[in-house]
Amino acid sequence: MVDVVVWAKKRIFPKNRMDCKGILKMMGLPDYNAWEIVKRTNACRMEDPYWLRFSEEETFADTTRGRSRKIMSENQESTSW
């Protein structure tokens, strides 16, 4: 289990990221808490398909990458002629 936690914590944005405060605010977090960020993002990076599932109901569409794909798809549809 320790290996999973270490792996997951390496898959979130760093505390010193320039827009860290804005991201935390968007996530509804008052301060940087690595495990809370992991839970909100499913430890899913934008560039790969790996992610953590915290409940049976969660799907890839619930991950950060899945949500961004949906948003990009919706934006493309709304700008199509």
Side-chain angles (χ1 to χ4, degrees):
M1 183 66 173
V2 171
D3 291 339
V4 172
V5 172
V6 170
W7 174 84
K9 286 184 177 182
K10 289 180 180 179
R11 302 181 58 77
I12 61 173
F13 62 91
K15 192 174 189 174
N16 63 350
R17 182 173 164 159
M18 188 172 20
D19 55 350
C20 180
K21 287 184 181 183
I23 295 170
L24 293 174
K25 185 177 180 180
M26 187 172 50
M27 292 180 155
L29 293 173
D31 55 2
Y32 191 91
N33 179 313
W35 189 245
E36 287 301 317
I37 295 168
V38 165
K39 290 192 305 188
R40 284 170 169 76
T41 63
N42 296 85
C44 183
R45 289 182 161 182
M46 293 301 292
E47 64 271 2
D48 66 30
Y50 304 108
W51 58 289
L52 293 178
R53 192 173 182 180
F54 291 98
S55 76
E56 290 295 318
E57 293 79 33
E58 286 182 314
T59 67
F60 185 74
D62 298 318
T63 67
T64 301
R65 186 174 177 198
R67 288 190 302 265
S68 69
R69 279 186 175 180
K70 181 180 179 193
I71 291 167
M72 288 187 326
S73 175
E74 289 170 354
N75 286 341
Q76 287 176 344
E77 288 173 10
S78 68
T79 59
S80 297
W81 297 77

